[in-house]
Each structure stands twice: as structure tokens, then as C-alpha cells.
Amino acid sequence: MKRKIFLTLITLVFSTALFAQSTTLHIKGGVQYPKDPDKIGFDSALTFNLGLDKYFTLGAESGFGWLKWKDKNGEWASAHGGGAVVEKSNLYSLPLLAVATVRLADMMEDYGFMPYITGGAGYSWTWLRDPDFKTRFDGFTWQAVGGVEIKLGSDSNLALVIEAGYRGAAVENSNKQEFDMTGFIGRVGISIPLVSSNDKF
């Protein structure tokens, strides 16, 4: 029984890959602006898009986010002057999402660019590090993104990716403290074809 299930899964994966169209890998970097801590930070993503047909893909996305900020925590004074006590905080995030994309592929063929919309859902982990407090938050995460791929030259298979959207991630730690990482994301990058719709098998 286990052998039959394994062979069925292998056949399904192989046949899906064999007939996949326009399967791509997106490498992207940009900015995020979550509600907590209300700061602009770095955001990146690596997205695998398996083309089911030229208009629709399913895939997976992960990435890395980083926010860094300083908080004044009291003041100090001496005979030679004074100033503020500053604490530096870092926030690191790692989302893992399943994504589905609808794309206007005919526009790429006719005009050299292709608008698309992507929805994703999954889980994310967020680590907060400052001098006095270290903890990990995690929880359900979703995002909605709109973007465009722009072909880089008539003879190139590569495309420029520009996208912007909204991510929802109200995560919490083991003490039920919540950290709201919900907010804007914007990224640019490159689309690398893994399987082209013109490839012959």
C-alpha cells in the first residue's frame, strides 16, 4: 500500500513538472512597513511559481525581513555634558507561504510586460532582539500582492519584477503577547525561467 502511494506521488510530481508551462523563480528585495514597530525595514522573497498553464501558477514563497531601530531610554549627565541612553533593537522575520498567481500572459507576448496578482497564506516566525528582551513570535500569515513582469530585451528570457502589496501577520509569543507585523510590502527583482512555455520535452 505504501509503495503504491509513493509511486502515485512520484508520477503526479513528474507529470506536473513535465507539462508545466512558464515555471519561474523570482528573486526579490525591497521594503516593509509593519504596524509594529511602525518602522521601515528590509524585506526579501524567493518565490517558486509552478506554471499550470500560461495564466495560472501555484508555488511557494519564503524570504527574510529585518527591521532595526533605536529607542531613547533615559538620559545621562556629567560634569562634562550629557546625552541620551540609546537602546538598539532588531527584528528578524521569516515567512513561509503557499502562493497562487493569476497573470495576463498574453500581454507579455504582445507588449513585453505582464501584470499579475498573487495571494498567499502560511506561517511566519519573528524574532525580537534588544539589550533587555529576546523572544520569538509566530503565527498565521497571509498576503495579497499586485505586480508586473517586464521582459529584459527581445532575446532575453529574464524579466524585471516590480510588485507591491499587503501582508497580514498578527503573531504572538509563548506568553500570548502579540506583535502586529501587518503592513505594506514593496519589492523589485528578477524572474528566472526554469521551464519556458516554448520548451520541448
Side-chain angles (χ1 to χ4, degrees), residues 67-110:
L67 289 95
K68 183 177 182 178
W69 68 96
K70 299 177 182 179
D71 290 321
K72 291 183 179 179
N73 186 21
E75 297 181 351
W76 60 269
S78 73
H80 303 288
V85 177
V86 176
E87 289 189 349
K88 297 179 182 179
S89 299
N90 288 279
L91 192 68
Y92 308 102
S93 59
L94 178 69
L96 182 59
L97 308 173
V99 294
T101 301
V102 177
R103 52 194 185 181
L104 303 180
D106 293 333
M107 294 187 69
M108 181 67 88
E109 298 168 5
D110 296 337

Side-chain angles (χ1 to χ4, degrees), residues 11-180:
T11 303
L12 180 62
V13 170
F14 177 76
S15 61
T16 300
L18 183 64
F19 294 105
Q21 295 189 32
S22 300
T23 296
T24 59
L25 181 68
H26 288 184
I27 303 172
K28 302 167 284 190
V31 297
Q32 59 173 313
Y33 186 56
K35 291 181 180 178
D36 290 332
D38 193 24
K39 308 284 184 184
I40 294 177
F42 172 75
D43 187 72
S44 66
L46 188 67
T47 311
F48 172 75
N49 302 296
L50 176 66
L52 303 184
D53 59 37
K54 69 177 183 176
Y55 303 109
F56 186 69
T57 70
L58 290 176
E61 178 174 300
S62 188
F64 174 74
W66 179 32
L67 289 95
K68 183 177 182 178
W69 68 96
K70 299 177 182 179
D71 290 321
K72 291 183 179 179
N73 186 21
E75 297 181 351
W76 60 269
S78 73
H80 303 288
V85 177
V86 176
E87 289 189 349
K88 297 179 182 179
S89 299
N90 288 279
L91 192 68
Y92 308 102
S93 59
L94 178 69
L96 182 59
L97 308 173
V99 294
T101 301
V102 177
R103 52 194 185 181
L104 303 180
D106 293 333
M107 294 187 69
M108 181 67 88
E109 298 168 5
D110 296 337
Y111 305 110
F113 69 91
M114 178 178 67
Y116 63 87
I117 56 172
T118 298
Y123 208 79
S124 66
W125 297 263
T126 299
W127 293 266
L128 175 62
R129 298 288 184 265
D130 66 33
D132 301 317
F133 188 65
K134 294 178 174 60
T135 189
R136 189 193 76 193
F137 300 85
D138 54 74
F140 173 74
T141 300
W142 62 271
Q143 70 183 29
V145 173
V148 62
E149 288 187 30
I150 304 170
K151 191 174 180 64
L152 295 176
S154 57
D155 297 327
S156 175
N157 288 327
L158 301 177
L160 175 69
V161 176
I162 305 172
E163 64 181 27
Y166 192 81
R167 177 183 294 146
V171 293
E172 62 180 39
N173 64 10
S174 57
N175 295 323
K176 302 302 180 183
Q177 296 170 312
E178 188 174 279
F179 207 82
D180 196 352

